[in-house]
Amino acid sequence: MLCCLKFSGCTNTISIVVSQCGRSSSAIVVQFHFMNIYKPLRNTIGGVSHWTVEEKIRTINQTAWNLRKTDIPQALQLASESLDMSRALLSSGVSDASIQREFATALLILSTCDIRLSKYPTALDKVQEALRYFEEINDDYGRMHCLKNTATI
């Protein structure tokens, strides 16, 4: 019978421990390494369809969002890559709302990291640009995060 489900995380790993009541020797540990998920995406980005690139951008943003408090340099790197990929799609004429959302999300993540690094002027510039995109696509959740970051600054 399942008694304990424990989540713990560090910089690049999430561990899930499942054990039975009072029997730690029978615990099962499952680890997910963020970089093991992300590296294959980075290696296959070229020459794929628009939908696949969109999914990769979303996955990179999700990983960067999860790392924004624990591994700021990695979150900055991932969000910058996501920003570059989504910017390339937008500049090539793809004006899909989901790409705009991912572009704005990358800016929001970069702003959040800049706040944590006390780089307030650059954080403000990025969050204001992200807010413009979130308003354009009527994304209330994104707007809320932008307003929270603006208030923090």
Side-chain angles (χ1 to χ4, degrees):
M1 177 163 133
L2 177 65
C3 182
C4 174
L5 181 61
K6 177 181 162 188
F7 295 89
S8 63
C10 65
T11 305
N12 290 322
T13 306
I14 293 178
S15 297
I16 301 172
V17 179
V18 180
S19 64
Q20 292 182 332
C21 293
R23 299 178 71 193
S24 61
S25 62
S26 63
I28 300 169
V29 178
V30 180
Q31 291 188 336
F32 299 96
H33 297 277
F34 286 125
M35 295 313 295
N36 289 346
I37 295 169
Y38 173 67
K39 282 180 183 173
L41 297 177
R42 181 188 297 172
N43 295 337
T44 60
I45 198 73
V48 294
S49 70
H50 163 71
W51 178 253
T52 305
V53 171
E54 180 183 336
E55 288 299 311
K56 290 177 183 181
I57 292 170
R58 183 175 296 116
T59 302
I60 292 167
N61 272 343
Q62 289 170 347
T63 304
W65 182 260
N66 291 333
L67 294 174
R68 75 192 186 285
K69 293 181 180 178
T70 58
D71 191 350
I72 294 172
Q74 187 65 40
L76 283 168
Q77 179 186 350
L78 292 173
S80 295
E81 288 183 36
S82 172
L83 186 71
D84 291 343
M85 287 189 287
S86 54
R87 181 181 285 135
L89 283 174
L90 291 171
S91 66
S92 71
V94 176
S95 61
D96 188 63
S98 60
I99 296 297
Q100 290 176 329
R101 180 176 294 107
E102 296 307 323
F103 181 78
T105 299
L107 285 168
L108 179 63
I109 295 165
L110 291 170
S111 170
T112 302
C113 291
D114 284 344
I115 289 169
R116 294 184 70 81
L117 296 171
S118 300
K119 296 180 179 179
Y120 300 115
T122 59
L124 185 60
D125 291 342
K126 290 171 187 168
V127 77
Q128 288 174 340
E129 186 177 357
L131 181 59
R132 282 192 295 274
Y133 276 92
F134 284 128
E135 286 176 342
E136 186 177 315
I137 60 173
N138 293 318
D139 185 321
D140 290 334
Y141 188 73
R143 278 191 281 215
M144 181 268 307
H145 277 290
C146 288
L147 294 174
K148 181 187 81 57
N149 274 13
T150 303
T152 302
I153 295 168

